Amino acid sequence: MIRFAADDGRMLAYDECGTGTPLLCLAGLTRNMDDFEPVVDAFADRARVIRLDTRGRGGSDPDPDFMNYNLIREGRDALNLLDHLGLPKAAILGTSRGGLIAMMLAAGHKDRLSGICLNDIGPLVEPRGLAHIMTYLGIPPDYSDYDDAARRLEIGMRDRFPGVTRDQWRSYARRLWRQSEDGLALRYDPALRHAVMEQSATDALPDLWPLFDALAGLPLALIRGAHSDILSPETAAEMRRRRPDMIFAEIPDRGHTPFLDEPDAVAAIAILLERISK
């Protein structure tokens, strides 16, 4: 893990591995760079895989002003990292919120992007999925350790993630939480909950279709979990209608979000990188 200073002085963590097309990985709302370990394993031989911990997550500094946990500021952080690395442009693999950041960047800084892969996110976010996120956002889990988490996740998530093994859930838990004396603890700033609540106080979801349409001309891929409660089949179908050239993979036995180690997900990312390199 390496750290650099964003333009407002916050120290942000990142990692890079491999050579080839720069692929900037941006994680979900509460997640961190560890989610992209499978991407490093699969693509470090053909891409420069760069993983960023968004501010307040993982190894990056928390922000004393929680309202800076927003897509515009987080998009600027991504551009700051590209500048720090001396990269004029990169492809973005964005999981959930990371994909929203990618679409935001396409609307204002398209010249910095060589392509985008959206992992289980689109311009319409399902309210029931958001409601589920709010049941745990900013709240420490009640798991005693990673084994306890793996056992209970295997039971509690089997409807959306059937067939996922206990070892896979243990890896999931290790990426999301850290072990403390009192049990598993958050690896992100709990004030993120306040940011989301403040920014959604009107209960009106913004129209993000113009941001999706801003992706025109860029190589594009979409990965969707077949059991996702964030990206509906109808929204994915409309995205495919608007972008018939979009690479698409629907991952069976996965909810929000696919782990990115699934063969179809790996294949979609590979095709995107091939299109970018031509």
PDB file of all heavy atoms in Angstrom, residues 108-127:
ATOM      1  N   GLY A 108     -17.572  14.996 -17.184  1.00  0.00           N
ATOM      2  CA  GLY A 108     -16.764  16.211 -17.079  1.00  0.00           C
ATOM      3  C   GLY A 108     -15.314  16.081 -17.480  1.00  0.00           C
ATOM      4  O   GLY A 108     -14.648  17.089 -17.747  1.00  0.00           O
ATOM      5  N   HIS A 109     -14.808  14.850 -17.529  1.00  0.00           N
ATOM      6  CA  HIS A 109     -13.380  14.640 -17.811  1.00  0.00           C
ATOM      7  C   HIS A 109     -13.191  13.421 -18.715  1.00  0.00           C
ATOM      8  O   HIS A 109     -12.334  12.579 -18.469  1.00  0.00           O
ATOM      9  CB  HIS A 109     -12.610  14.445 -16.495  1.00  0.00           C
ATOM     10  CG  HIS A 109     -12.756  15.580 -15.538  1.00  0.00           C
ATOM     11  ND1 HIS A 109     -11.966  16.719 -15.602  1.00  0.00           N
ATOM     12  CD2 HIS A 109     -13.613  15.777 -14.506  1.00  0.00           C
ATOM     13  CE1 HIS A 109     -12.322  17.557 -14.636  1.00  0.00           C
ATOM     14  NE2 HIS A 109     -13.316  17.012 -13.969  1.00  0.00           N
ATOM     15  N   LYS A 110     -13.965  13.378 -19.760  1.00  0.00           N
ATOM     16  CA  LYS A 110     -13.952  12.216 -20.646  1.00  0.00           C
ATOM     17  C   LYS A 110     -12.583  11.966 -21.260  1.00  0.00           C
ATOM     18  O   LYS A 110     -12.214  10.820 -21.559  1.00  0.00           O
ATOM     19  CB  LYS A 110     -15.000  12.413 -21.746  1.00  0.00           C
ATOM     20  CG  LYS A 110     -15.405  11.157 -22.472  1.00  0.00           C
ATOM     21  CD  LYS A 110     -16.583  11.493 -23.381  1.00  0.00           C
ATOM     22  CE  LYS A 110     -17.172  10.283 -24.032  1.00  0.00           C
ATOM     23  NZ  LYS A 110     -18.381  10.628 -24.822  1.00  0.00           N
ATOM     24  N   ASP A 111     -11.814  13.035 -21.430  1.00  0.00           N
ATOM     25  CA  ASP A 111     -10.497  12.910 -22.039  1.00  0.00           C
ATOM     26  C   ASP A 111      -9.523  12.128 -21.169  1.00  0.00           C
ATOM     27  O   ASP A 111      -8.483  11.683 -21.646  1.00  0.00           O
ATOM     28  CB  ASP A 111      -9.917  14.295 -22.327  1.00  0.00           C
ATOM     29  CG  ASP A 111      -9.772  15.137 -21.074  1.00  0.00           C
ATOM     30  OD1 ASP A 111     -10.710  15.168 -20.257  1.00  0.00           O
ATOM     31  OD2 ASP A 111      -8.714  15.774 -20.899  1.00  0.00           O
ATOM     32  N   ARG A 112      -9.873  11.919 -19.895  1.00  0.00           N
ATOM     33  CA  ARG A 112      -8.996  11.176 -18.992  1.00  0.00           C
ATOM     34  C   ARG A 112      -9.336   9.675 -18.956  1.00  0.00           C
ATOM     35  O   ARG A 112      -8.682   8.915 -18.253  1.00  0.00           O
ATOM     36  CB  ARG A 112      -9.096  11.729 -17.556  1.00  0.00           C
ATOM     37  CG  ARG A 112      -8.831  13.208 -17.400  1.00  0.00           C
ATOM     38  CD  ARG A 112      -7.422  13.608 -17.831  1.00  0.00           C
ATOM     39  NE  ARG A 112      -6.370  12.902 -17.115  1.00  0.00           N
ATOM     40  CZ  ARG A 112      -5.834  13.326 -15.962  1.00  0.00           C
ATOM     41  NH1 ARG A 112      -6.291  14.438 -15.391  1.00  0.00           N
ATOM     42  NH2 ARG A 112      -4.847  12.659 -15.393  1.00  0.00           N
ATOM     43  N   LEU A 113     -10.370   9.276 -19.703  1.00  0.00           N
ATOM     44  CA  LEU A 113     -10.846   7.896 -19.648  1.00  0.00           C
ATOM     45  C   LEU A 113     -10.596   7.179 -20.971  1.00  0.00           C
ATOM     46  O   LEU A 113     -10.834   7.741 -22.043  1.00  0.00           O
ATOM     47  CB  LEU A 113     -12.341   7.863 -19.330  1.00  0.00           C
ATOM     48  CG  LEU A 113     -12.798   8.629 -18.083  1.00  0.00           C
ATOM     49  CD1 LEU A 113     -14.300   8.501 -17.914  1.00  0.00           C
ATOM     50  CD2 LEU A 113     -12.076   8.133 -16.843  1.00  0.00           C
ATOM     51  N   SER A 114     -10.143   5.936 -20.877  1.00  0.00           N
ATOM     52  CA  SER A 114      -9.960   5.122 -22.085  1.00  0.00           C
ATOM     53  C   SER A 114     -11.036   4.056 -22.217  1.00  0.00           C
ATOM     54  O   SER A 114     -11.164   3.427 -23.273  1.00  0.00           O
ATOM     55  CB  SER A 114      -8.579   4.465 -22.067  1.00  0.00           C
ATOM     56  OG  SER A 114      -8.425   3.615 -20.939  1.00  0.00           O
ATOM     57  N   GLY A 115     -11.817   3.844 -21.173  1.00  0.00           N
ATOM     58  CA  GLY A 115     -12.884   2.862 -21.179  1.00  0.00           C
ATOM     59  C   GLY A 115     -13.426   2.687 -19.775  1.00  0.00           C
ATOM     60  O   GLY A 115     -12.809   3.136 -18.805  1.00  0.00           O
ATOM     61  N   ILE A 116     -14.592   2.045 -19.674  1.00  0.00           N
ATOM     62  CA  ILE A 116     -15.224   1.867 -18.360  1.00  0.00           C
ATOM     63  C   ILE A 116     -15.868   0.485 -18.282  1.00  0.00           C
ATOM     64  O   ILE A 116     -16.518   0.029 -19.231  1.00  0.00           O
ATOM     65  CB  ILE A 116     -16.295   2.956 -18.106  1.00  0.00           C
ATOM     66  CG1 ILE A 116     -15.627   4.306 -17.838  1.00  0.00           C
ATOM     67  CG2 ILE A 116     -17.199   2.582 -16.933  1.00  0.00           C
ATOM     68  CD1 ILE A 116     -16.594   5.447 -17.618  1.00  0.00           C
ATOM     69  N   CYS A 117     -15.695  -0.145 -17.132  1.00  0.00           N
ATOM     70  CA  CYS A 117     -16.447  -1.352 -16.791  1.00  0.00           C
ATOM     71  C   CYS A 117     -17.241  -1.070 -15.529  1.00  0.00           C
ATOM     72  O   CYS A 117     -16.666  -0.708 -14.492  1.00  0.00           O
ATOM     73  CB  CYS A 117     -15.512  -2.536 -16.569  1.00  0.00           C
ATOM     74  SG  CYS A 117     -16.380  -4.071 -16.137  1.00  0.00           S
ATOM     75  N   LEU A 118     -18.547  -1.199 -15.607  1.00  0.00           N
ATOM     76  CA  LEU A 118     -19.443  -0.973 -14.478  1.00  0.00           C
ATOM     77  C   LEU A 118     -19.791  -2.312 -13.835  1.00  0.00           C
ATOM     78  O   LEU A 118     -20.314  -3.203 -14.513  1.00  0.00           O
ATOM     79  CB  LEU A 118     -20.720  -0.272 -14.946  1.00  0.00           C
ATOM     80  CG  LEU A 118     -20.550   1.074 -15.656  1.00  0.00           C
ATOM     81  CD1 LEU A 118     -21.883   1.539 -16.240  1.00  0.00           C
ATOM     82  CD2 LEU A 118     -19.982   2.116 -14.708  1.00  0.00           C
ATOM     83  N   ASN A 119     -19.495  -2.451 -12.560  1.00  0.00           N
ATOM     84  CA  ASN A 119     -19.812  -3.683 -11.846  1.00  0.00           C
ATOM     85  C   ASN A 119     -21.054  -3.486 -10.989  1.00  0.00           C
ATOM     86  O   ASN A 119     -21.004  -2.863  -9.934  1.00  0.00           O
ATOM     87  CB  ASN A 119     -18.628  -4.124 -10.974  1.00  0.00           C
ATOM     88  CG  ASN A 119     -18.895  -5.430 -10.241  1.00  0.00           C
ATOM     89  OD1 ASN A 119     -19.731  -6.234 -10.658  1.00  0.00           O
ATOM     90  ND2 ASN A 119     -18.192  -5.657  -9.150  1.00  0.00           N
ATOM     91  N   ASP A 120     -22.180  -3.992 -11.498  1.00  0.00           N
ATOM     92  CA  ASP A 120     -23.466  -4.000 -10.804  1.00  0.00           C
ATOM     93  C   ASP A 120     -23.939  -2.609 -10.404  1.00  0.00           C
ATOM     94  O   ASP A 120     -24.351  -2.376  -9.268  1.00  0.00           O
ATOM     95  CB  ASP A 120     -23.424  -4.919  -9.574  1.00  0.00           C
ATOM     96  CG  ASP A 120     -24.800  -5.540  -9.303  1.00  0.00           C
ATOM     97  OD1 ASP A 120     -25.306  -6.244 -10.194  1.00  0.00           O
ATOM     98  OD2 ASP A 120     -25.364  -5.304  -8.233  1.00  0.00           O
ATOM     99  N   ILE A 121     -23.892  -1.710 -11.354  1.00  0.00           N
ATOM    100  CA  ILE A 121     -24.396  -0.356 -11.119  1.00  0.00           C
ATOM    101  C   ILE A 121     -24.837   0.231 -12.450  1.00  0.00           C
ATOM    102  O   ILE A 121     -24.294  -0.108 -13.502  1.00  0.00           O
ATOM    103  CB  ILE A 121     -23.334   0.549 -10.451  1.00  0.00           C
ATOM    104  CG1 ILE A 121     -23.947   1.832  -9.922  1.00  0.00           C
ATOM    105  CG2 ILE A 121     -22.189   0.825 -11.411  1.00  0.00           C
ATOM    106  CD1 ILE A 121     -24.905   1.651  -8.780  1.00  0.00           C
ATOM    107  N   GLY A 122     -25.831   1.101 -12.383  1.00  0.00           N
ATOM    108  CA  GLY A 122     -26.313   1.790 -13.571  1.00  0.00           C
ATOM    109  C   GLY A 122     -26.891   3.126 -13.193  1.00  0.00           C
ATOM    110  O   GLY A 122     -26.776   3.572 -12.038  1.00  0.00           O
ATOM    111  N   PRO A 123     -27.529   3.804 -14.125  1.00  0.00           N
ATOM    112  CA  PRO A 123     -28.063   5.141 -13.853  1.00  0.00           C
ATOM    113  C   PRO A 123     -29.343   5.150 -13.033  1.00  0.00           C
ATOM    114  O   PRO A 123     -29.795   6.217 -12.615  1.00  0.00           O
ATOM    115  CB  PRO A 123     -28.301   5.715 -15.256  1.00  0.00           C
ATOM    116  CG  PRO A 123     -28.445   4.528 -16.131  1.00  0.00           C
ATOM    117  CD  PRO A 123     -27.597   3.451 -15.554  1.00  0.00           C
ATOM    118  N   LEU A 124     -29.940   3.994 -12.794  1.00  0.00           N
ATOM    119  CA  LEU A 124     -31.070   3.884 -11.879  1.00  0.00           C
ATOM    120  C   LEU A 124     -30.681   2.920 -10.758  1.00  0.00           C
ATOM    121  O   LEU A 124     -30.343   1.761 -11.027  1.00  0.00           O
ATOM    122  CB  LEU A 124     -32.328   3.368 -12.587  1.00  0.00           C
ATOM    123  CG  LEU A 124     -33.171   4.385 -13.368  1.00  0.00           C
ATOM    124  CD1 LEU A 124     -34.373   3.683 -13.987  1.00  0.00           C
ATOM    125  CD2 LEU A 124     -33.634   5.516 -12.479  1.00  0.00           C
ATOM    126  N   VAL A 125     -30.725   3.416  -9.530  1.00  0.00           N
ATOM    127  CA  VAL A 125     -30.379   2.601  -8.368  1.00  0.00           C
ATOM    128  C   VAL A 125     -31.676   2.238  -7.656  1.00  0.00           C
ATOM    129  O   VAL A 125     -32.476   3.117  -7.301  1.00  0.00           O
ATOM    130  CB  VAL A 125     -29.437   3.369  -7.420  1.00  0.00           C
ATOM    131  CG1 VAL A 125     -29.093   2.520  -6.201  1.00  0.00           C
ATOM    132  CG2 VAL A 125     -28.169   3.787  -8.165  1.00  0.00           C
ATOM    133  N   GLU A 126     -31.910   0.949  -7.472  1.00  0.00           N
ATOM    134  CA  GLU A 126     -33.176   0.482  -6.914  1.00  0.00           C
ATOM    135  C   GLU A 126     -33.330   0.903  -5.449  1.00  0.00           C
ATOM    136  O   GLU A 126     -32.428   0.684  -4.627  1.00  0.00           O
ATOM    137  CB  GLU A 126     -33.262  -1.038  -7.014  1.00  0.00           C
ATOM    138  CG  GLU A 126     -33.377  -1.552  -8.439  1.00  0.00           C
ATOM    139  CD  GLU A 126     -34.611  -0.999  -9.128  1.00  0.00           C
ATOM    140  OE1 GLU A 126     -35.732  -1.202  -8.609  1.00  0.00           O
ATOM    141  OE2 GLU A 126     -34.456  -0.357 -10.183  1.00  0.00           O
ATOM    142  N   PRO A 127     -34.468   1.538  -5.098  1.00  0.00           N
ATOM    143  CA  PRO A 127     -34.685   1.977  -3.710  1.00  0.00           C
ATOM    144  C   PRO A 127     -34.580   0.861  -2.682  1.00  0.00           C
ATOM    145  O   PRO A 127     -34.073   1.073  -1.580  1.00  0.00           O
ATOM    146  CB  PRO A 127     -36.104   2.563  -3.747  1.00  0.00           C
ATOM    147  CG  PRO A 127     -36.308   2.979  -5.175  1.00  0.00           C
ATOM    148  CD  PRO A 127     -35.562   1.963  -5.987  1.00  0.00           C
TER     149      PRO A 127
END
